[in-house]
Amino acid sequence: QVQLVESGGGLVQAGGSLRLSCAASVNIFSPNVIVGWYRQPPGKQRELVAAIRSGGTTSYADSVKGRFTISRDNAQNTLYLQMNSLTPEDTAVYCCNLRYLFTATNYWGQGTQVTVSS
């Protein structure tokens, strides 16, 4: 059973920062999984924001490169997304995701709203 519990969303002014957290019930450092963050802006499709793989390799959407940082905490088994220099275009529901590579099975957090005011 995989459980992903998110926190850290909220309302912030443009130029501000937020840190999203996703506590996982399974080992997110396993070589069999990829974990990441997705977001869905109003009226748009869900998109991948950032991902981190077993060896620590990261990838980012072009729109967030240089502003967002994905990381993991082994002791807490928690995934983070540090979001800096936020703009209204970052407003979206953000969800954490865990995918088992062998079975291609995805697990999702409940989603957390991030709203950036101008």
Side-chain angles (χ1 to χ4, degrees), residues 39-61:
R39 70 184 182 186
Q40 186 169 12
K44 296 184 178 181
Q45 291 290 316
R46 185 175 61 194
E47 64 179 350
L48 177 65
V49 177
I52 187 165
R53 294 157 177 83
S54 61
T57 302
T58 58
S59 59
Y60 297 91

Side-chain angles (χ1 to χ4, degrees), residues 32-44:
N32 298 318
V33 305
I34 295 177
V35 290
W37 292 93
Y38 288 75
R39 70 184 182 186
Q40 186 169 12
K44 296 184 178 181

